[in-house]
Amino acid sequence: MLLSDAAKSYEADKKIEGFSAQTLNAYRIQAKLLIDYFGNININKITTLQLKNYLAESSNSLKPSSLSHRIRFLRSLFRWLHEEDIIELNPASKIKEPRVGKRIPKFLTEREIEYLRDACFSPMEKALFEFMFSTGCRIGEIVSLDRNSINWGNQSAIVRGKGDKEREVYFNIRCDIWLKKYIDSRYDNDSAVFVTERSPHRLSIAQMRYIIKRISKRAGINKTIHPHQLRHSYATHLLNNGAPLEVIQSLLGHEKSETTRIYAELSGRLRQEINKDEKHTN
């Protein structure tokens, strides 16, 4: 089987399994890079040594996390090919990911959150910011959110996360107020919760990122603000208020508890030092 055919069959199988469009697109990019390097050769001709050479060359231009992603794709692809009896031996079975040190998630202080909140002008900006911060949702989950996914009775919403898995998230009263004001102010019939201001249609991830960047610029905070920082801030806020890690894991939609446990690295002493530094600078 040719490499291009193997990649298409693999993608089709993962689509049937319910993998998200974003994940499938990422796999498609990795498959193209593989074909660009090896050419459209017979999949059986690729050896472990060739894969290691490919990864070694890739490591010159990739961060360890990106290289790990590439390795996970190769291991998944060739494992699937082996399980489907398309190849007799799996050349990627013994390839290991690079060691990546634990990174403490970047979060925003309560003061910074208030600066950002104050810098939101329109009902849409206020609704989007409050929803991001009070639910801790990933930006892709918010982009795909529909109006009929919101349960106003208990201030919750059903979002579709990684692996196309659904989970229930909860928003606070402030978010409830601004979300209703925003939706009530619209005259379009688009099913999306958040839409563009002109010719209303569902916001893209890039457009949503731009809105957060616009808000942070107005707030005058001397750091680059990304939507994912609001997710980290939400988790840190829950941790500071005594929420069990199991609850935080469920609300964030983390598959592994280890991912959530990283937030516990922000010990009480470190949080106190951060708050102390903030008082001195203000």
Side-chain angles (χ1 to χ4, degrees):
M1 180 182 281
L2 294 177
L3 185 50
S4 61
D5 294 330
K8 286 177 185 175
S9 298
Y10 170 78
E11 184 184 333
D13 197 68
K14 295 305 171 186
K15 190 173 184 179
I16 292 168
E17 285 183 32
F19 280 49
S20 70
Q22 278 182 299
T23 301
L24 292 174
N25 187 51
Y27 285 169
R28 208 173 297 125
I29 292 168
Q30 291 297 332
K32 184 182 182 302
L33 290 169
L34 197 63
I35 295 167
D36 287 346
Y37 182 84
F38 285 103
N40 197 20
I41 64 172
N42 190 302
I43 196 75
N44 285 288
K45 291 184 178 180
I46 298 177
T47 66
T48 302
L49 183 60
Q50 287 175 321
L51 287 178
K52 286 184 176 180
N53 288 336
Y54 166 61
L55 293 167
E57 289 183 29
S58 300
S59 66
N60 295 326
S61 58
L62 293 178
K63 293 180 180 178
S65 57
S66 299
L67 184 61
S68 291
H69 175 72
R70 187 162 297 184
I71 291 170
R72 285 194 294 273
F73 165 74
L74 291 176
R75 284 164 56 177
S76 177
L77 171 64
F78 283 97
R79 182 172 58 248
W80 178 82
L81 289 166
H82 184 251
E83 288 172 354
E84 294 291 314
D85 294 322
I86 296 170
I87 57 175
E88 190 175 338
L89 297 172
N90 179 358
S93 61
K94 294 183 179 179
I95 295 177
K96 296 178 181 178
E97 293 179 42
R99 291 183 180 180
V100 181
K102 285 185 179 179
R103 290 185 301 170
I104 301 299
K106 293 179 181 178
F107 69 98
L108 301 166
T109 64
E110 288 186 20
R111 184 179 291 273
E112 287 170 335
I113 291 293
E114 288 306 318
Y115 277 137
L116 289 167
R117 182 172 279 139
D118 194 51
C120 296
F121 287 174
S122 67
M124 187 269 279
E125 287 184 345
K126 290 179 182 290
L128 176 59
F129 176 81
E130 295 299 344
F131 191 86
M132 274 189 175
F133 180 62
S134 68
T135 64
C137 283
R138 300 177 180 94
I139 191 169
E141 295 168 346
I142 301 175
V143 163
S144 61
L145 189 67
D146 288 328
R147 296 195 214 190
N148 60 13
S149 298
I150 297 176
N151 184 333
W152 297 104
N154 65 350
Q155 292 171 202
S156 69
I158 300 296
V159 297
R160 199 175 292 277
K162 286 187 175 181
D164 215 30
K165 293 178 181 176
E166 289 187 344
R167 76 178 188 283
E168 191 169 29
V169 297
Y170 303 90
F171 48 88
N172 57 26
I173 293 172
R174 184 188 269 122
C175 178
D176 181 280
I177 291 169
W178 281 111
L179 207 52
K180 280 179 180 172
K181 278 188 177 182
Y182 166 57
I183 291 175
D184 289 346
S185 71
R186 282 167 48 187
Y187 295 98
D188 63 275
N189 295 315
D190 199 289
S191 62
V193 170
F194 295 102
V195 295
T196 55
E197 292 168 337
R198 296 178 183 176
S199 304
H201 59 274
R202 190 181 299 273
L203 278 170
S204 68
I205 287 177
Q207 288 168 325
M208 204 169 274
R209 282 200 180 110
Y210 173 76
I211 291 168
I212 296 301
K213 187 177 180 181
R214 184 172 68 192
I215 294 168
S216 66
K217 193 173 181 180
R218 281 194 217 119
I221 298 172
N222 192 25
K223 64 165 71 168
T224 305
I225 308 296
H226 301 288
H228 218 67
Q229 281 173 279
L230 292 173
R231 177 171 162 84
H232 293 327
S233 302
Y234 164 76
T236 306
H237 176 76
L238 290 177
L239 189 66
N240 288 348
N241 284 278
L245 284 175
E246 295 78 13
V247 173
I248 299 174
Q249 179 183 350
S250 174
L251 290 171
L252 290 175
H254 285 158
E255 284 190 14
K256 298 177 182 177
S257 59
E258 290 81 9
T259 309
T260 315
R261 203 166 287 126
I262 293 172
Y263 293 101
E265 298 285 336
L266 290 167
S267 64
R269 180 190 285 184
L270 177 58
R271 289 195 295 271
Q272 285 173 11
E273 287 175 1
I274 289 169
N275 290 333
K276 201 179 291 180
D277 289 341
E278 188 190 19
K279 286 178 183 177
H280 288 312
T281 55
N282 289 287

